[in-house]
Amino acid sequence: MKNFLKKHTKLVIWAIFMVIFNVLALLIPHNKLGDATVAFWGGFAFINVAFVGIGVVLFFLQLDKTTIFSNTVMVYVFSAIYFVITFILNLIYMIVFDAKNFYLEVFLPNGIIIALYIAAMLIANFAMRHMSSVTKHTETKVAARRLTTAKVEFIMNCAENEAVKKALLELKEDVQYSDPIGVEATASLEQDFENQLNLIEQLIAGEAAEEAILKAIKLAKNKLQFRNETLKASK
């Protein structure tokens, strides 16, 4: 129970607000419940539906400081707009409005609002999924670029020749300043570059001639440059 309260504190507070609203709505406007109009009960019901709807959102999506900077913020924006409009509209029904036709004057407007809210939530869900996919793709590419940079640095540390070390340092800088987000057209070029790094590592481990290693490093730089130019042309 304590864990639930700690995890869903905002939901509990929201439930308290709902209880307070219900108590005030039933006790203050009418001394007798029989005095309440159809519009009153309709407005009362739809406000409670809105309370429950926002409660569901609070249960499944935690509202914290990180939410503002995440793609879930759209859900809370749409939910807040839905609740404010629903609350004000139905509060008017409850206090001053006496509907002659409940379905046309109370049910239909609320039905349209709920339908628009559901449509907005579906759009938000689609956008969240798309943004999440893009974010994961970006994170994967950035992580791969960091691994490539680390690999070049590892090869550089294995080298003893100063000229080779200098050439590898330049290659490392080229990798660091390259756009990590590739496209389909650059996939094979990126693999060629990785293969060239493996070749350089093998040459250094096999104590190949300086000229051969520098030539391999120059070829790697050319492959990386061609990849970057291809990427630039693809955007």
Side-chain angles (χ1 to χ4, degrees):
M1 185 63 179
K2 290 183 179 180
N3 291 335
F4 178 85
L5 292 176
K6 184 178 180 179
K7 184 178 180 181
H8 298 287
T9 303
K10 295 177 179 63
L11 176 60
V12 173
I13 295 173
W14 187 252
I16 293 173
F17 280 133
M18 181 178 177
V19 171
I20 292 173
F21 164 76
N22 278 270
V23 171
L24 294 176
L26 294 175
L27 296 183
I28 294 179
H30 303 279
N31 294 324
K32 297 180 180 179
L33 294 181
D35 295 335
T37 64
V38 173
F40 173 89
W41 287 117
F44 176 77
F46 280 112
I47 288 178
N48 274 283
V49 168
F51 266 112
V52 172
I54 303 302
V56 171
V57 172
L58 288 172
F59 180 80
F60 287 104
L61 292 176
Q62 296 297 312
L63 178 61
D64 52 38
K65 60 182 179 181
T66 61
T67 302
I68 300 174
F69 303 102
S70 69
N71 49 28
T72 57
V73 68
M74 292 183 295
V75 173
Y76 285 101
V77 170
F78 291 145
S79 297
I81 294 173
Y82 158 69
F83 183 80
V84 170
I85 293 176
T86 298
F87 188 85
I88 293 174
L89 175 66
N90 288 286
L91 196 62
I92 293 173
Y93 288 150
M94 292 175 64
I95 297 174
V96 300
F97 193 74
D98 186 10
K100 296 180 180 179
N101 188 323
F102 171 78
Y103 292 101
L104 183 62
E105 299 176 15
V106 179
F107 184 83
L108 182 60
N110 277 283
I112 293 174
I113 293 172
I114 292 174
L116 290 174
Y117 175 58
I118 292 174
M121 293 296 278
L122 291 175
I123 293 173
N125 180 64
F126 174 79
M128 286 168 57
R129 289 177 179 274
H130 176 70
M131 292 172 67
S132 177
S133 175
V134 171
T135 300
K136 289 180 180 179
H137 176 72
T138 302
E139 290 175 349
T140 300
K141 289 292 185 179
V142 171
R145 179 60 65 231
R146 288 174 180 169
L147 288 174
T148 302
T149 303
K151 184 173 183 178
V152 175
E153 185 172 2
F154 170 77
I155 297 173
M156 183 176 65
N157 292 334
C158 292
E160 296 180 358
N161 185 286
E162 290 301 321
V164 172
K165 281 181 173 289
K166 182 179 179 181
L168 285 170
L169 179 60
E170 293 176 356
L171 179 60
K172 176 186 172 183
E173 292 174 350
D174 289 344
V175 172
Q176 288 176 325
Y177 291 108
S178 296
D179 188 345
I181 314 301
V183 294
E184 185 177 353
T186 62
S188 60
L189 300 177
E190 290 165 0
Q191 186 59 53
D192 286 344
F193 177 72
E194 290 292 333
N195 294 337
Q196 189 65 22
L197 287 183
N198 292 333
L199 175 60
I200 296 171
E201 185 178 10
Q202 292 171 11
L203 291 173
I204 293 176
E207 299 182 352
E210 175 185 326
E211 184 180 354
I213 299 175
L214 291 175
K215 184 177 179 181
I217 295 173
K218 183 178 180 180
L219 182 57
K221 293 185 70 173
N222 291 338
K223 286 179 179 291
L224 180 61
Q225 183 179 0
F226 181 59
R227 177 263 181 194
N228 291 338
E229 291 175 352
T230 303
L231 178 60
K232 186 177 180 180
S234 302
K235 291 186 176 181

